[in-house]
Amino acid sequence: MNKGQLLTSVAAFAFLGMWAMPAAAQTPASSETDDAEIVVFGKGETRQVQTVTAVDIAVATPGTSPLKVLEKLPGVSFQSANALGSNEWSSRISIRGFNQNQLGFTLDGVPLGDMSYHNFNGLHISRAIASENIGRTTLAQGSGALSTASSSNLGGTVQFFSKAPSPDFGLDGEVSYGSENAYRLFGRLETGDLGNGVMGYVSGSWLDAPKWKGQGKQEAWSINSKLVVPLGERGQVAAFVNYSDFKDDDYMDMSLSLIRKYGWNWDYIRNDYPTAMAIATNLQNGVYCANYAGYSQQICGDDTYYDAYGLRKDFLAGANIDYELADAVTLKLTPYYHRHRGISTWFTPYTPTPGGSPMSVRGATYAINRGGATGSLSFTFGDHQLEIGGWYEYNRYRAGRPYFPLAASNVASIGKREWPKNPFASDYSYNFKIKTYQYFIQDTWNLTPELKMNYGFKGIRNTVINEYNPANSPNRDTSGLLRAKDMFIPQIGVNYAVSRAFELFASYTENMRAFTTEPFLTSRAGFLAVKDVIKPETSWTLEGGLRFHLRDFEGSIAGYHVKFDDRLLSVQPCAIIIGCPSILSNVGSVTTNGIEMAGTYRLTRALSLYGAYAYTDAQYDDDILSGVLYATKNKTVVNTPKHLINGEIAYDDGALFGRISANYQSKRYYTYINDNSVKGRALVDLSAGYRFPEGGGLLDGLELQANVTNLFDKKYISTVGQTALKFSDPGGNVQSMLVGTPRQVFLSLRKHF
């Protein structure tokens, strides 16, 4: 898109807002429609902010990841290899060119960490809470509020909020069935008001979703509970306890050349253990490609593997305490505790079992035991609201890479989705102690009824200490300490209400991403080479825009400039002839410029149109030395589509409802020098349903819903870079991408008692 086309798009969007204005000139959005809004634009915010309501979550296929629901918002790119977006190995979200582990996520104020697959300091939202129990989700594309409990939010933040208990006793039941014989059950019991405003709910969910290709399935069950207890007239406690047991068979990592060779449906050969053993035997005897019975062409050693799966168990508890200490003084406190145990497995043909199978099971084990609290005191005086607060977390995290034995038989001796036992070897086993301290001070100053400003700063100190387990080889001893510290990270924003229908906003934000455990997962020499050299990644964001709040139209236009410094990447920091090992290094900066537009036009009370467009120009500022000098300067940041377009037509008259939505992403590069990419794609989803009117009969409270994802059965690449991103791949051989889901159909039945 050239500059002229971009300006034309902006003008067209502004004209849409002005076209909606005559019927509602200078009139704010009607409060009667607020509960039915799909996207709420952040009125009064000094930053780019949108909120997706429970209305939007409810119309998605039951069990859909809350992250997938966010892909309609401007600047958000989401990919997954399954229709629900719940396969954690493949699910990725990026915002304005920042990937998932550079964003911040919270649930009711509790930090979820960076939600990466090998998460060391949190858990994925799909395990933290059932989608039916989410009341709303708020996205800040640039950077979250100073009070956000995150040590990774270089870019945007996503805040999830659970629904409030109902004051009425009731039972909600839901059953879904769909493609590949997938089914899901959900039920929630509302206690209603138990007296003096005490109320709560408890829910359970079960998912059994076979993969759309290959063998295996996703199994998950969870329990969520919430209890609200008033504290007199001045406050309340809202406590929750959630548990999740998640088992997930993965889809195999593909490459463009593998897709050309075998087609889109190629996967692990979980139904053919003898061939998997034969491939492993040949590999160990120096035979990389061979013919195997039942296959029409030669299979090479890395063309397929036997299986891979992940197991996760999580317990999460917390409480939101809000109490008015005095007429102008409010206390907020959120203590929390999270315990996690997980393993990811891969049946490797490169490490045979001593005296057994030519394969073994390589595991990646992790255990999290963390607790902490966030809190703040706010003071209101005159035209100011001053807030002072902080966050503390202590996390005991264990990570290992053991190898588990397989018997010498024609049947796998480890069952499907079973936790392996009795490892015979290990690459590493580390015990981490991670402490995070954060404080913030901010003031919101209402200079006039139309003009307000908020400003402040935060400080963060994060320490990662690794304790080496001597069961490993001495070369993997990376015992030591890394500290990321910046005690002054400023933020300032302004909002000016031109009228009740239009407002201007602008903000400037700085941020820092603390170190993860990645620098320790190397050799001792590699760790010693970086521990006193590498710097934490930092960013600063300047953004501003205009919001529309008309009777029939809500929308926003925003532009931004981002500077991302001290980017970390694993490189070989010398010439090939010298032969130094790869280490984690700071490799320069990224400059991003972009524009985001979104709006909802309500044609009638029942019919609305939604559209969003984002243009992202993210480029590397430096060439990179990794054995040779790679010309990455001025190249587009990997996995960052320049154009994102969303459109939706929604209808809901209280009984009949439906939506048709389209999501377009332009091509994405998956190499740093931009010599290969995956094509852009446009996906269309459809949902429709009917709510039976209240009449006191058996059908009272009954709701039927149908969902079709990828309506036109588009073949496309979904996730890229989940194993690694390379500097160059002219032949399309990098095995680090996943195929998107074909058309899937789901039918759901809901009943409220």
Side-chain angles (χ1 to χ4, degrees):
M1 174 176 283
N2 59 39
K3 186 181 296 184
Q5 291 172 316
L6 187 59
L7 291 174
T8 301
S9 299
V10 174
F13 187 83
F15 177 75
L16 177 60
M18 296 303 293
W19 174 64
M21 185 178 176
Q26 307 303 311
T27 302
S30 170
S31 61
E32 294 179 358
T33 63
D34 286 350
D35 291 340
E37 291 297 331
I38 298 168
V39 175
V40 177
F41 298 89
K43 188 172 185 179
E45 294 281 353
T46 61
R47 295 166 288 120
Q48 171 78 315
V49 175
Q50 292 104 31
T51 295
V52 172
T53 66
V55 174
D56 208 41
I57 296 172
V59 80
T61 305
T64 295
S65 168
L67 292 179
K68 179 174 171 57
V69 176
L70 292 176
E71 70 178 341
K72 69 192 302 174
L73 299 181
V76 177
S77 173
F78 179 80
Q79 301 93 32
S80 179
N82 75 335
L84 299 179
S86 55
N87 175 256
E88 291 189 25
W89 176 244
S90 67
S91 295
R92 298 291 188 278
I93 187 172
S94 61
I95 302 172
R96 293 183 177 177
F98 286 106
N99 61 42
Q100 188 162 307
N101 60 14
Q102 295 167 328
L103 307 175
F105 304 89
T106 64
L107 170 63
D108 289 338
V110 175
L112 300 178
D114 61 16
M115 291 209 310
S116 58
Y117 185 71
H118 297 292
N119 198 331
F120 70 98
N121 63 348
L123 73 163
H124 201 277
I125 186 62
S126 296
R127 288 182 275 126
I129 190 172
S131 57
E132 290 86 351
N133 292 329
I134 294 179
R136 68 185 193 280
T137 304
T138 296
L139 167 69
Q141 281 93 335
S143 182
L146 289 169
S147 58
T148 303
S150 173
S151 59
S152 57
N153 61 325
L154 281 176
T157 61
V158 181
Q159 295 175 292
F160 302 96
F161 299 92
S162 61
K163 71 179 292 290
S166 170
D168 300 318
F169 175 82
L171 176 65
D172 294 288
E174 179 182 81
V175 57
S176 303
Y177 178 80
S179 297
E180 319 303 334
N181 293 317
Y183 70 91
R184 185 175 183 274
L185 306 174
F186 174 82
R188 180 175 57 231
L189 174 66
E190 298 273 5
T191 67
D193 193 334
L194 299 174
N196 299 318
V198 177
M199 62 188 75
Y201 61 76
V202 60
S203 75
S205 68
W206 168 257
L207 173 68
D208 186 301
K211 293 166 56 178
W212 65 265
K213 68 172 181 175
Q215 303 289 315
K217 63 171 64 175
Q218 184 177 95
E219 291 181 343
W221 69 271
S222 69
I223 297 174
N224 299 165
S225 63
K226 187 172 184 178
L227 181 67
V228 173
V229 180
L231 300 175
E233 299 294 326
R234 287 185 171 270
Q236 70 171 27
V237 176
F240 63 89
V241 176
N242 296 342
Y243 178 79
S244 170
D245 188 341
F246 187 83
K247 300 176 181 179
D248 198 8
D249 288 305
D250 291 321
Y251 294 90
M252 199 185 79
D253 303 311
M254 300 288 287
S255 65
L256 295 178
S257 60
L258 279 180
I259 294 171
R260 289 192 294 266
K261 182 177 180 180
Y262 295 107
W264 297 89
N265 289 351
W266 187 245
D267 199 34
Y268 292 111
I269 52 172
R270 188 183 188 186
N271 59 334
D272 192 355
Y273 190 72
T275 298
M277 288 199 302
I279 292 173
T281 299
N282 280 334
L283 276 174
Q284 289 149 30
N285 290 322
V287 179
Y288 190 65
C289 299
N291 292 306
Y292 299 93
Y295 297 89
S296 60
Q297 56 186 310
Q298 279 196 339
I299 297 177
C300 298
D302 291 298
D303 285 0
T304 188
Y305 310 102
Y306 178 66
D307 197 14
Y309 60 85
L311 309 175
R312 309 281 190 275
K313 290 185 179 181
D314 291 275
F315 174 84
L316 179 67
N320 298 126
I321 304 169
D322 290 85
Y323 192 76
E324 189 177 352
L325 299 174
D327 289 343
V329 183
T330 301
L331 168 69
K332 293 184 178 181
L333 184 64
T334 301
Y336 63 90
Y337 172 74
H338 172 220
R339 184 173 182 178
H340 166 78
R341 182 171 181 253
I343 186 171
S344 301
T345 67
W346 174 51
F347 285 69
T348 172
Y350 290 98
T351 305
T353 299
S357 169
M359 296 187 295
S360 64
V361 177
R362 192 187 76 182
T365 61
Y366 14 85
I368 299 171
N369 196 334
R370 66 186 179 113
T374 66
S376 68
L377 280 172
S378 62
F379 307 87
T380 301
F381 53 95
D383 297 323
H384 295 265
Q385 184 176 2
L386 178 67
E387 189 175 10
I388 302 172
W391 167 42
Y392 170 75
E393 179 177 283
Y394 179 63
N395 179 12
R396 293 296 301 266
Y397 171 68
R398 300 196 310 273
R401 178 171 284 175
Y403 290 81
F404 299 94
L406 289 168
S409 65
N410 287 328
V411 179
S413 55
I414 292 178
K416 298 175 180 178
R417 295 176 297 282
E418 176 183 325
W419 194 288
K421 298 177 182 178
N422 304 316
F424 64 85
S426 176
D427 284 338
Y428 57 80
S429 178
Y430 297 136
N431 294 308
F432 294 95
K433 296 179 181 178
I434 305 169
K435 295 182 181 180
T436 304
Y437 304 86
Q438 180 176 298
Y439 80 94
F440 71 91
I441 301 173
Q442 65 179 354
D443 178 41
T444 300
W445 181 14
N446 295 292
L447 289 86
T448 71
E450 297 80 25
L451 179 63
K452 78 173 181 181
M453 178 184 296
N454 59 28
Y455 47 90
F457 55 91
K458 69 178 180 181
I460 186 168
R461 182 176 183 268
N462 176 267
T463 304
V464 183
I465 301 174
N466 178 34
E467 298 175 343
Y468 169 65
N469 187 329
N472 298 293
S473 62
N475 189 48
R476 297 304 293 261
D477 180 2
T478 57
S479 299
L481 177 151
L482 283 176
R483 179 176 289 122
K485 178 182 177 182
D486 190 339
M487 303 310 289
F488 182 74
I489 303 175
Q491 184 177 118
I492 185 170
V494 63
N495 181 284
Y496 178 67
V498 180
S499 67
R500 291 189 299 169
F502 298 95
E503 61 178 283
L504 298 168
F505 65 93
S507 68
Y508 172 81
T509 304
E510 294 184 8
N511 234 314
M512 179 191 75
R513 179 187 179 220
F515 293 117
T516 67
T517 59
E518 184 182 5
F520 297 92
L521 304 182
T522 180
S523 66
R524 178 158 184 80
F527 177 70
L528 292 176
V530 303
K531 75 180 187 70
D532 296 321
V533 177
I534 59 172
K535 302 175 182 179
E537 296 175 330
T538 60
S539 70
W540 60 264
T541 300
L542 179 65
E543 64 179 4
L546 170 67
R547 293 193 187 99
F548 307 87
H549 301 289
L550 307 169
R551 188 183 66 189
D552 298 321
F553 181 79
E554 289 266 338
S556 69
I557 301 177
Y560 63 88
H561 174 77
V562 179
K563 195 71 170 181
F564 168 27
D565 293 314
D566 295 316
R567 185 168 67 95
L568 286 168
L569 187 69
S570 182
V571 298
Q572 186 180 347
C574 64
I576 290 177
I577 193 171
I578 299 175
C580 56
S582 294
I583 60 173
L584 196 66
S585 302
N586 296 109
V587 293
S589 61
V590 173
T591 299
T592 305
N593 296 289
I595 188 168
E596 297 163 347
M597 302 180 287
T600 300
Y601 179 64
R602 189 171 293 279
L603 283 81
T604 69
R605 187 175 180 83
L607 181 63
S608 65
L609 304 177
Y610 170 81
Y613 171 74
Y615 173 75
T616 305
D617 181 18
Q619 297 184 6
Y620 300 114
D621 295 333
D622 309 272
D623 293 332
I624 297 176
L625 174 64
S626 183
V628 298
L629 187 66
Y630 287 96
T632 57
K633 185 176 181 179
N634 298 327
K635 296 298 193 298
T636 297
V637 171
V638 291
N639 197 26
T640 302
K642 283 200 171 185
H643 306 283
L644 291 166
I645 304 174
N646 289 278
E648 182 176 87
I649 303 173
Y651 180 86
D652 191 338
D653 63 11
L656 184 66
F657 63 95
R659 287 191 199 173
I660 184 166
S661 59
N663 173 270
Y664 170 76
Q665 295 185 11
S666 61
K667 75 175 180 180
R668 291 168 289 151
Y669 293 104
Y670 69 89
T671 60
Y672 293 111
I673 67 169
N674 292 178
D675 65 349
N676 217 331
S677 62
V678 298
K679 295 179 180 179
R681 89 293 185 278
L683 302 178
V684 177
D685 294 344
L686 175 68
S687 65
Y690 183 78
R691 305 182 190 98
F692 287 87
E694 296 182 4
L698 291 176
L699 297 181
D700 189 7
L702 185 67
E703 182 177 314
L704 302 175
Q705 180 175 311
N707 292 83
V708 184
T709 60
N710 193 4
L711 179 65
F712 297 111
D713 205 23
K714 177 75 173 179
K715 288 181 169 59
Y716 66 100
I717 299 296
S718 59
T719 316
V720 299
Q722 72 278 6
T723 56
L725 290 163
K726 301 294 185 180
F727 284 98
S728 176
D729 184 35
N733 298 316
V734 172
Q735 201 166 332
S736 188
M737 57 186 63
L738 291 162
V739 172
T741 316
R743 180 170 52 237
Q744 302 276 275
V745 181
F746 301 89
L747 300 175
S748 305
L749 177 66
R750 300 186 182 100
K751 182 76 166 77
H752 176 72
F753 301 91

